[in-house]
Amino acid sequence: MNNSEIIIYLLPFVFIIHDFEEIIGFKTWFVRNGEWLSSRFPKLEKQVRHFKRLSTASFAFAVLEEFIIIALATILALLFQWYYAWIATFTVFGFHIIIHIIQWLIAGRYIPVIVTSLLSVPYIILGMNMISTSFSLFEIITCFLIGLPIAIINLLIIHKLMIKLDKHLKNENSKIN
């Protein structure tokens, strides 16, 4: 296995380690810091309420769905040398990490994504170096510009499904009790 294959192969692992930090910490963090976040950034109040309502189970469901997409893109790249889907997911993941670092800098305190975001930076640098030596800037930007709106649409859809899943889980729990 060469260095490029290792970098491609590692994306699902780096993603899941990062998202484990989110799964483990998001609910507690939003419950403890939601009021502070809403008062400091009033425009985020609706999102804070949304995240406080979500269960850890529904959040894990969303992470699983995203993991499957990343794993499929990785398999396509490794088995069939179809790299564009992988480049799209990789660059969007890198952008996602940059957004988390900016969130942390703006918040000025721990957020439940920052440790693994910072640990992901060397991997993203290596990956971008590998991509830039094998693909044109046009190809890389095109993959990112196609991947980003797909990721945003997916995120919007999965958040709606998370709300439905939480309602279903609450109904099931009320039947049990």
Side-chain angles (χ1 to χ4, degrees):
M1 189 176 293
N2 65 39
N3 289 342
S4 295
E5 289 172 330
I6 292 169
I7 289 169
I8 293 168
Y9 182 74
L10 284 175
L11 180 59
F13 296 99
V14 174
F15 169 82
I16 204 64
I17 290 168
H18 167 70
D19 272 49
F20 279 162
E21 182 184 13
E22 282 188 89
I23 292 168
I24 292 166
F26 98 94
K27 181 70 174 182
T28 305
W29 191 88
F30 272 99
V31 168
R32 289 183 184 163
N33 295 282
E35 287 183 34
W36 168 81
L37 195 58
S38 293
S39 67
R40 181 146 184 229
F41 306 102
K43 291 183 179 182
L44 295 179
E45 188 170 348
K46 183 178 177 183
Q47 288 87 352
V48 169
R49 280 196 317 268
H50 169 70
F51 278 107
K52 284 171 84 172
R53 282 192 311 255
L54 293 177
S55 70
T56 302
S58 66
F59 198 84
F61 167 75
V63 169
L64 173 63
E65 186 266 348
E66 291 174 344
F67 177 78
I68 291 169
I69 292 169
I70 288 172
L72 287 173
T74 300
I75 291 167
L76 289 171
L78 290 172
L79 294 181
F80 304 108
Q81 289 72 48
W82 194 51
Y83 298 107
Y84 292 137
W86 185 86
I87 293 169
T89 57
F90 178 83
T91 56
V92 169
F93 176 70
F95 181 72
H96 169 83
I97 294 298
I98 291 167
I99 294 298
H100 282 325
I101 293 170
I102 292 168
Q103 290 170 329
W104 170 63
L105 292 170
I106 290 170
R109 62 170 64 176
Y110 172 78
I111 57 175
V113 293
I114 193 56
V115 172
T116 54
S117 291
L118 292 172
L119 290 173
S120 298
V121 170
Y123 168 72
I124 292 165
I125 291 169
L126 286 171
M128 286 306 297
N129 183 51
M130 181 268 297
I131 292 169
S132 67
T133 60
S134 302
F135 296 90
S136 70
L137 183 60
F138 177 79
E139 288 173 304
I140 297 166
I141 291 172
T142 301
C143 288
F144 175 72
L145 292 177
I146 291 170
L148 186 61
I150 291 170
I152 291 169
I153 291 166
N154 182 63
L155 195 60
L156 294 172
I157 292 168
I158 202 69
H159 273 271
K160 289 181 189 264
L161 291 174
M162 290 164 72
I163 292 167
K164 287 182 180 183
L165 178 60
D166 278 339
K167 287 179 183 177
H168 176 74
L169 292 173
K170 285 180 186 176
N171 287 339
E172 289 300 314
N173 284 339
S174 66
K175 289 178 186 177
I176 293 170
N177 297 331

